[in-house]
Amino acid sequence: MKKRLFSLLCAMAATLMVQAHEIALPGNVLNRQTTSLNGDWNYIVDVQEEGYYDYRMNPTPWGFFRNAKPGRPEDLIEYDFDTSPTMPIPSDWNTRDERLFFYEGTVWFKRSFTMATDPKAEGRRTLLYFGAVNYEAIVYVNGEKMGRHVGGFTPFCFDVSDVLREGENTLIVKVDNKRHADHVPTQFFDWWNYGGITRDVLLVSVAPTYVENYKWTLLPAAAKGKRDITCTVRLNKAEAGRKLTVSIPELKLKRTLTTTADGTATATFSTAASKLQLWSPKHPKLYRVEMNLEGETLADEIGFRTIETRGKQILLNGKPVFLRGISLHEEKPFGGGRANSTADARTLLSWVKELGCNFVRLAHYPHNEHMVREAERMGLMVWSEIPVYWTISWGNDATFDNARRQLTDMIARDQNRANIIIWSIANETPHGSEREAFLSRLAQEARRLDNTRLISMAMEVTSASNYHNLLQDNMNRYVDVISFNQYIGWYRDVNDAPKMTWEIPYDKPVIVSEFGGGAKYGLHGAANQRWTEEFQENLYRQNVAMLDKIDGLCGTTPWILKDFRSPRRVLNGIQDYYNRKGLFSDNGEKKKAFYVLKAWYEGKK
C-alpha cells in the first residue's frame, strides 16, 4: 500500500512540473505539414474550478488534467471526460450549449488522438498550434503541463515532441474567459465574450531545424525601371552556416543563402519594374514564393506593394487612394457565434465587396488567419488592431506586457500579408500621461517590428464648442494616420451634422474610423424615429455630407457591417443583446442605410 501511494505521489509531482515548451510562433502554419485536431472534443463545465484548485484554493494534484479513471470499484473519481458531452472545435461554448450563453468561467476540453509512429523516431519535432483560445488557456498533453497562454485572439504554440508517444495521446485544455480589469481587453467591452477554443488546433511536423518565420518586402523604387525585393529568413535556432534557397519561380528569381550566427539570412532581388505586377484592390496579384531548407520547402503566396503617406494623402503603390471601408467583428454571418472558417470569411467579405469597399477594419482584435488571407485574395486592404480598448490598466506592467505580446504575435503571423496596410494599437482610450506612456511604447514597438506599414489608432474628438469639433491628442506624434470615432446623429442630434466644423491640426491623412447608428431590420417609421431603418438611413445621409467637408479625409470605416451580439445592449424587443448598428442584419438582410453608403462610395472611386 505504501509503495503504491509513493508511486502515485511521484506521478502527481511529475504531472505538476511546468515544462518550458512554449516556442516562438512559426509563420505560415497553414502551409506547413499539419494534422488537424479540429472536431468533436469532450467538455466539462467547471464553475468553481474544482478541477484545478482544492477547497482551500490551492492547485490540486488531483486535477481534471490527469484524466483519471477508477482502477477499483471503490475508487472515487467525480468526473469523466469520456461520458461528457462533446462540442465541435473550433467554436464557442456560448452558442453551442444553451446553458452557457452568458457563462464566463472555466470549461475543460479533452481530445484524444493517435500517433501511428513515434515522431521522435523519425527525427522530427511536433508542434502543437492553437489559432486562439479565449481567454486563458492552460494546456496539458498526456497529463504533463505544457504551459499557459493569456490573450484571446492571437495564436500560440508548444513543442510537444518529448511528451507524445506512439498510439493514443490525450490533449486537455483548461479554458477560462472571465474578465478582469488588468486584461487586454479590459473588464468592459462592447462585444460578446465568446469563450472556448475558437480557432484551429493543429499538430505541425517540422525538422529539428526549420524556417521559423520570414518576411518578403518590396522596397521603395530606387532606380528607374527597377524594383528591389528583400527576403529575410529566420530559423528556429541561432545557427550559422545553414544553407537555404529562396525563390520566386514566376519571376525566375532564385538565391542560395547562408545563415549568420543568429540563424538569419537576407537576400535582395532586383527585377524589371515592368515584369512585377503590384498587389492592389483592382489587381490582387499574389506570387508563389519558396524557401527550401535541406530539401524541405515552405511555400507561400505573397503580394508586393508599397504603402506610405505624403502630407494628408495615403499612397498605395505611389498613388493616392481613398479607403472605402467598413468595420467588422469576427462573428459568424448568420446566427452569431465566433467566425473561424474560410467559408465564414468569404461570406462576410462578399458583403464588404457588395458595399463597394476596398478596405476593411478588423475590429477590435486580430481576426483569424482565414479572414486576413481571404481579404488579400479578394483585393481588400486591412486595418488590423489589438484589443487595447477603453480604459486599460495603464500603469500595470503585466498589462503592458500582455498588450505587447498580442501586438508581437499579430505582426509575426501577418507580416507577409500585402493587404494589411495599418497596424492599430488602440481604440477610444482616455487621455492621460499613463495612457500616453503605454501607447507610445506600443507604437514604437510596432514600428520596430515592421516599418513597412502605417500605424494608427482610433482616437476620440474633443469638442471646443457646440458645433466645432477639435481633435487634440498627444499620440499624434506616434501615428502615421489620424483616425477618430464620432457618432453625430446617434449620441448627438443628427440635425447638428450640417452645422459641424472640424479642426484636425496635423499634416497627416485622416480616417473616420467609426460613425453610424442603430436600426432594427424591418422596423419602419419616420426619419426621426429612433431604431427605424429610416432613422439610420437619414443619419448616414447627413454624415456622409458632413464628412465630405473634413480636410485631409482619406477614408472611413463606418460602424459596422452587420449586427453583432453584445451584453451591453439590453433593450427588449429592439436590441435583445445585439448591437444594431449593422448595415446588414444578423441574418444577412440589407438595411436602407446600406444603399446610402454604397452610393457615396461609388462617388469616391
Side-chain angles (χ1 to χ4, degrees):
M1 179 65 182
K2 288 182 179 180
K3 184 177 179 180
R4 182 176 181 276
L5 180 59
F6 177 76
S7 298
L8 180 60
L9 291 173
C10 289
M12 290 189 296
T15 296
L16 291 172
M17 290 176 64
V18 178
Q19 302 295 325
H21 288 285
E22 188 168 7
I23 61 170
L25 281 173
N28 191 19
V29 164
L30 298 181
N31 284 322
R32 295 179 187 263
Q33 182 179 331
T34 63
T35 301
S36 174
L37 295 182
N38 295 347
D40 289 339
W41 291 45
N42 296 97
Y43 70 99
I44 297 173
V45 181
D46 190 7
V47 177
Q48 295 194 10
E49 297 184 280
E50 64 176 323
Y52 192 75
Y53 298 108
D54 64 20
Y55 74 110
R56 304 292 190 194
M57 285 304 292
N58 298 309
T60 175
W62 307 97
F64 291 178
F65 51 82
R66 292 182 59 219
N67 192 31
K69 306 296 180 186
R72 302 170 302 164
E74 62 266 33
D75 286 348
L76 177 62
I77 306 292
E78 295 189 275
Y79 68 96
D80 184 357
F81 279 107
D82 295 339
T83 59
S84 297
T86 61
M87 182 180 301
I89 297 299
S91 67
D92 57 272
W93 63 60
N94 312 81
T95 57
R96 291 294 179 174
D97 186 335
E98 62 182 10
R99 301 171 304 166
L100 304 179
F101 185 65
F102 289 103
Y103 180 67
E104 295 182 324
T106 286
V107 176
W108 293 81
F109 291 90
K110 176 250 183 184
R111 171 78 150 85
S112 294
F113 58 95
T114 300
M115 302 292 290
T117 60
D118 183 349
K120 295 186 291 298
E122 300 174 354
R124 296 183 66 81
R125 306 295 292 176
T126 303
L127 314 181
L128 173 61
Y129 177 91
F130 291 86
V133 176
N134 192 38
Y135 175 79
E136 177 194 71
I138 303 178
V139 179
Y140 303 85
V141 176
N142 293 330
E144 183 171 340
K145 186 175 181 180
M146 297 292 96
R148 170 177 176 262
H149 181 268
V150 175
F153 303 99
T154 48
F156 56 99
C157 202
F158 302 98
D159 187 334
V160 297
S161 308
D162 297 333
V163 296
L164 291 180
R165 56 196 176 216
E166 183 178 350
E168 185 172 285
N169 294 263
T170 301
L171 169 59
I172 293 176
V173 186
K174 178 185 183 293
V175 181
D176 188 345
N177 73 330
K178 289 192 294 292
R179 294 166 294 115
H180 295 284
D182 56 355
H183 280 177
V184 181
T186 188
Q187 197 163 8
F188 303 107
F189 44 88
D190 189 15
W191 66 86
W192 205 266
N193 187 25
Y194 289 115
I197 302 174
T198 56
R199 297 181 188 164
D200 297 323
V201 185
L202 304 171
L203 291 175
V204 187
S205 176
V206 294
T209 301
Y210 58 91
V211 173
E212 181 181 279
N213 215 336
Y214 52 89
K215 186 175 183 181
W216 291 79
T217 304
L218 175 66
L219 299 178
K224 189 174 182 179
K226 292 287 187 181
R227 296 308 299 254
D228 289 342
I229 297 168
T230 65
C231 172
T232 298
V233 179
R234 184 177 70 248
L235 305 184
N236 65 309
K237 297 178 181 178
E239 293 184 1
R242 303 301 291 259
K243 300 290 186 180
L244 64 148
T245 302
V246 296
S247 63
I248 311 176
E250 186 176 343
L251 295 174
K252 297 181 172 57
L253 300 174
K254 187 174 183 179
R255 188 75 54 81
T256 298
L257 309 179
T258 304
T259 60
T260 56
D262 62 355
T264 65
T266 300
T268 299
F269 298 97
S270 185
T271 186
S274 59
K275 291 184 178 180
L276 185 65
Q277 184 176 340
L278 302 185
W279 184 97
S280 70
K282 288 185 178 179
H283 303 287
K285 171 64 177 178
L286 299 176
Y287 289 91
R288 179 180 171 89
V289 302
E290 297 177 351
M291 292 142 288
N292 185 286
L293 177 65
E294 298 174 351
E296 186 161 344
T297 298
L298 178 62
D300 202 350
E301 292 185 318
I302 300 287
F304 298 107
R305 59 98 189 100
T306 61
I307 192 74
E308 58 190 317
T309 66
R310 182 188 300 149
K312 295 190 176 185
Q313 292 181 320
I314 295 175
L315 307 180
L316 175 67
N317 300 326
K319 297 179 181 179
V321 62
F322 188 87
L323 304 177
R324 307 186 307 272
I326 192 71
S327 295
L328 173 63
H329 261 302
E330 190 187 58
E331 192 166 276
K332 285 186 176 295
F334 305 105
R338 184 62 71 206
N340 46 41
S341 68
T342 299
D344 291 337
R346 286 174 180 163
T347 299
L348 291 166
L349 295 174
S350 70
W351 296 352
V352 172
K353 295 283 285 187
E354 190 177 357
L355 186 55
C357 295
N358 61 7
F359 181 54
V360 61
R361 179 188 180 202
L362 301 181
H364 285 294
Y365 38 77
H367 287 216
N368 66 83
E369 190 169 356
H370 302 295
M371 181 71 75
V372 177
R373 285 181 176 268
E374 284 303 305
E376 184 177 48
R377 295 183 186 107
M378 295 171 70
L380 287 167
M381 294 176 282
V382 165
W383 160 314
S384 185
E385 71 186 48
I386 56 173
V388 176
Y389 181 92
W390 291 357
T391 308
I392 293 289
S393 296
W394 305 114
N396 188 318
D397 289 340
T399 302
F400 177 80
D401 289 342
N402 185 340
R404 178 172 56 189
R405 170 71 187 269
Q406 293 189 46
L407 176 71
T408 300
D409 291 346
M410 174 178 72
I411 293 174
R413 191 193 73 179
D414 293 334
Q415 61 186 344
N416 288 295
R417 305 279 62 84
N419 60 328
I420 295 182
I421 62 169
I422 293 175
W423 299 125
S424 173
I425 57 173
N427 178 79
E428 291 183 356
T429 52
H431 295 196
S433 59
E434 283 190 326
R435 168 260 201 182
E436 289 159 15
F438 188 108
L439 294 182
S440 63
R441 291 170 65 195
L442 282 182
Q444 292 171 61
E445 182 70 2
R447 205 172 298 282
R448 183 188 69 80
L449 292 168
D450 180 12
N451 62 4
T452 68
R453 290 174 173 84
L454 308 178
I455 295 172
S456 194
M457 56 179 285
M459 301 173 179
E460 293 183 309
V461 173
T462 54
S463 182
S465 64
N466 284 339
Y467 301 109
H468 181 73
N469 288 286
L470 173 65
L471 192 145
Q472 286 185 317
D473 195 317
N474 291 336
M475 283 299 298
N476 77 84
R477 295 172 291 171
Y478 299 97
V479 298
D480 302 298
V481 179
I482 303 298
S483 306
F484 65 90
N485 302 344
Q486 65 83 20
Y487 281 94
I488 292 167
W490 190 248
Y491 299 119
R492 180 164 176 164
D493 194 327
V494 71
N495 296 311
D496 291 345
K499 309 170 190 175
M500 288 294 170
T501 60
W502 298 84
E503 182 181 353
I504 304 168
Y506 312 115
D507 186 29
K508 295 184 177 184
V510 174
I511 295 175
V512 177
S513 39
E514 289 181 28
F515 72 90
K520 184 174 182 180
Y521 174 78
L523 181 62
H524 297 286
N528 65 347
Q529 183 181 345
R530 195 173 286 264
W531 304 114
T532 64
E533 289 192 48
E534 288 73 15
F535 185 98
Q536 187 189 46
E537 177 187 39
N538 182 53
L539 183 153
Y540 266 78
R541 284 201 183 103
Q542 297 294 337
N543 266 262
V544 297
M546 175 185 66
L547 297 180
D548 274 331
K549 302 173 185 177
I550 295 179
D551 181 40
L553 184 70
C554 286
T556 67
T557 50
W559 195 258
I560 188 169
L561 180 69
K562 66 174 288 287
D563 294 349
F564 63 94
R565 283 197 168 113
S566 171
R568 300 177 66 86
R569 308 299 174 168
V570 300
L571 181 60
N572 188 54
I574 297 292
Q575 294 172 313
D576 299 318
Y577 299 107
Y578 276 95
N579 185 312
R580 296 294 186 189
K581 293 187 179 72
L583 297 179
F584 285 81
S585 75
D586 191 57
N587 291 316
E589 301 144 321
K590 299 184 188 73
K591 303 177 191 177
K592 298 181 75 173
F594 168 93
Y595 300 98
V596 176
L597 186 62
K598 181 178 174 65
W600 189 60
Y601 279 162
E602 284 290 332
K604 296 294 183 183
K605 292 182 178 179

